[in-house]
Amino acid sequence: MNVLILGAGGREHALAWKIKQSPECGSLFIAPGNAGTATEGTNIELSLSDFSAIGDFVLKNDIDLVVVGPEAPLVDGFRDYMEGDNRFSGVGVIGPGKTGAILEGSKDFSKGFMERNGVPAASSRTFTAIEIEQAEAYVRQHSLPVVLKADGLAAGKGVIISPDHEDALSNLKDMLVGERFGEASAKVVIEQYLDGIELSVFVLTDGEAYKILPAAKDYKRIGEGDTGPNTGGMGAVSPVPFANEEFMRKVEEKVIRPTISGLKAEGIPYTGFIFFGLMNVDGEPYVIEYNVRMGDPETQVVLPRISSDLLKLLKAAADGELASAIIETSPEVASTVVLVSGGYPGPYQKGKQITGLDAVPQGPVVFHAGTRVKDEHVLTSGGRVMAMTGLGKSMQAALKQSYEAANAVSWEGITYRKDIGKDLEAFSG
Ligand code: AMP
Ligand code: GLY
């Protein structure tokens, strides 16, 4: 089976690493990929918004399956493009069409979807710029803190949590009238603050059947002790100690099943991953957001814990035969520590030479994100540069591997959190 993975991050390197392990994997291409994906398959310079160039590549290279890493091509209709042209009729796509991708593409839509389908979520209301006065009145009587969300995709920056009404009002105006996030904040969702612990739950579905993948916890803030600005994710661990059997049963009953049956009931075909961003509030799951893809860096701890053949699972999903597929997970603990460029998530420099990759000990897996090769040197080319995944019998053992790998490499300005997993020690004993 020839496979094309779309994307360039640590998530896509992890997908390539896992897919390549399948005996059924023929040629593997990653577009555009990074220095790490180039060691798993062949990187292809393609723009993810140029669907016709991707389509031409698929035909020329007899691609059987396209795995879409990030959300943007899905929200923009990549699947719809492929389905609309019968030259691609034999090609499977992992990732929903536009009607499914809107679960991530519009917070307003996803809030409505959750409400219609009885999926537990924070109570909320959506306002547009012409409703600014009603929005302000709504904020004034809202409980604190107030959560403001840009409706559309805002590169992970569209959520503002205001500690008081004044701050909320000024941010609200900035978003709705000042177009702080451009078109994405033409609508703003104002929602209740959920006080709990976050976790990420993933399923693979063909629209009928679903398989639950290992859960993970992401560390979003740049600073230790969860301080400072939000990032794409600074580390992750799996399993999540507080996501025990009882909690996961609730997640399946109250969140996953109503979501899958809601998609069916609303006539939304869906083939791909659903990423449930959840808040555990006193043992009850609430959905903070849906994403229509895997998480990054969660993928870097989820996939190493899947012992079954991922490519077979993806193919089964693409063929609508997921019900008969089997997913097996390993009881081992995985951790990943993300190494970032100095300055990230603010402005940062690229092109720094990475040293020490040869000195990474056996054991941990190095997943590249923002890296590229130039004149045989590996250079930084993004904010999140690489993710060091460790695997072990305990979280301590996994973290030891992650940090040994992190300590081995270096570049000017390298930054990473030293406290990944620390908050979970109380749970894991
Ligand atoms: P999102 O962009 O939807 O992932 O939101 C970014 C982050 O904001 C989440 O990971 C949460 O930490 C936080 N957040 C979003 N919605 C809420 C909420 N209703 N209550 C508390 N925290 C929230
Ligand atoms: N790590 C969170 C995300 O992928 O959205």
Side-chain angles (χ1 to χ4, degrees):
M1 210 184 313
N2 296 335
V3 182
L4 170 64
I5 299 173
L6 300 184
R11 167 183 52 212
E12 287 75 21
H13 187 184
L15 283 164
W17 170 85
K18 183 69 182 162
I19 286 172
K20 196 190 155 198
Q21 290 169 19
S22 167
E24 312 215 345
C25 183
S27 302
L28 175 62
F29 300 96
I30 308 92
N34 58 41
T37 60
T39 67
E40 315 287 351
T42 309
N43 284 354
I44 303 297
E45 246 340 293
L46 283 173
S47 156
L48 299 193
S49 52
D50 190 348
F51 296 166
S52 85
I54 299 172
D56 288 347
F57 183 85
V58 164
L59 293 176
K60 257 202 198 117
N61 294 278
D62 285 327
I63 299 295
D64 300 293
L65 186 70
V66 184
V67 182
V68 184
E71 66 281 7
L74 298 169
V75 174
D76 293 344
F78 175 70
R79 188 191 190 87
D80 311 72
Y81 171 80
M82 297 290 285
E83 285 181 344
D85 186 333
N86 51 27
R87 290 178 306 160
F88 304 121
S89 58
V91 183
V93 176
I94 295 297
K98 264 190 174 181
T99 57
I102 196 171
L103 279 183
E104 177 166 357
S106 166
K107 303 250 190 225
D108 180 37
F109 178 85
S110 71
K111 295 297 299 192
F113 178 90
M114 290 184 244
E115 205 174 305
R116 290 193 295 279
N117 294 289
V119 177
S123 64
S124 74
R125 272 188 64 184
T126 303
F127 297 91
T128 61
I130 53 166
E131 298 162 318
I132 180 80
E133 281 173 22
Q134 294 95 306
E136 284 172 346
Y138 187 74
V139 163
R140 279 197 197 91
Q141 55 77 53
H142 201 282
S143 58
L144 294 173
V146 184
V147 181
L148 303 173
K149 298 186 170 182
D151 171 55
L153 296 181
K157 299 193 173 71
V159 175
I160 291 166
I161 298 177
S162 288
D164 58 62
H165 291 117
E166 280 316 303
D167 186 71
L169 287 167
S170 111
N171 278 306
L172 173 74
K173 200 163 174 190
D174 215 20
M175 288 168 90
L176 268 184
V177 186
E179 296 180 3
R180 165 123 148 235
F181 301 106
E183 190 51 34
S185 62
K187 279 188 198 169
V188 171
V189 177
I190 302 175
E191 95 177 11
Q192 173 203 9
Y193 179 80
L194 297 171
D195 197 3
I197 321 182
E198 268 180 87
L199 76 157
S200 308
V201 169
F202 305 92
V203 304
L204 175 65
T205 181
D206 58 10
E208 293 279 340
Y210 59 85
K211 300 289 173 195
I212 304 176
L213 312 187
K217 184 174 190 292
D218 177 20
Y219 292 77
K220 286 205 167 79
R221 303 293 195 95
I222 186 73
E224 282 161 28
D226 292 327
T227 52
N230 257 327
T231 69
M234 296 295 291
V237 296
S238 175
V240 183
F242 60 83
N244 54 23
E245 232 173 87
E246 187 194 349
F247 182 76
M248 288 308 291
R249 203 175 50 239
K250 287 184 191 169
V251 171
E252 184 166 10
E253 273 169 23
K254 298 184 179 183
V255 174
I256 298 174
R257 277 204 211 127
T259 299
I260 304 284
S261 56
L263 287 168
K264 266 172 69 177
E266 298 194 10
I268 301 172
Y270 200 107
T271 303
F273 295 104
I274 307 178
F275 164 171
F276 301 88
L278 300 181
M279 191 73 90
N280 174 345
V281 183
D282 298 327
E284 288 298 319
Y286 287 80
V287 176
I288 299 176
E289 61 168 351
Y290 289 118
N291 296 301
V292 298
R293 53 175 173 82
M294 287 297 291
D296 189 342
E298 289 97 324
T299 306
Q300 293 91 305
V301 292
V302 170
L303 297 188
R305 293 196 56 234
I306 296 180
S307 31
S308 345
D309 184 327
L310 180 69
L311 183 54
K312 271 194 187 162
L313 278 165
L314 296 175
K315 180 76 170 103
D319 291 344
E321 291 169 2
L322 197 58
S324 54
I326 291 168
I327 180 165
E328 278 166 8
T329 61
S330 128
E332 283 195 308
V333 178
S335 61
T336 202
V337 173
V338 179
L339 315 182
V340 306
S341 297
Y344 174 81
Y348 55 83
Q349 291 183 333
K350 297 182 188 176
K352 304 289 180 193
Q353 189 173 329
I354 301 169
T355 57
L357 280 166
D358 297 343
V360 173
Q362 284 284 316
V365 192
V366 177
F367 291 120
H368 288 237
T371 66
R372 67 187 178 93
V373 179
K374 193 181 173 214
D375 303 332
E376 315 214 332
H377 295 301
V378 183
L379 306 182
T380 67
S381 68
R384 292 193 291 172
V385 177
M386 47 184 66
M388 306 313 214
T389 295
L391 210 55
K393 288 204 160 49
S394 65
M395 183 138 61
Q396 285 77 3
L399 285 165
K400 185 163 175 279
Q401 281 196 353
S402 290
Y403 281 110
E404 276 171 5
N407 291 335
V409 303
S410 181
W411 63 84
E412 188 194 328
I414 183 174
T415 305
Y416 54 92
R417 276 179 64 165
K418 313 285 189 306
D419 68 339
I420 301 304
K422 280 256 164 62
D423 57 327
L424 299 177
E425 275 168 13
F427 294 95
S428 58

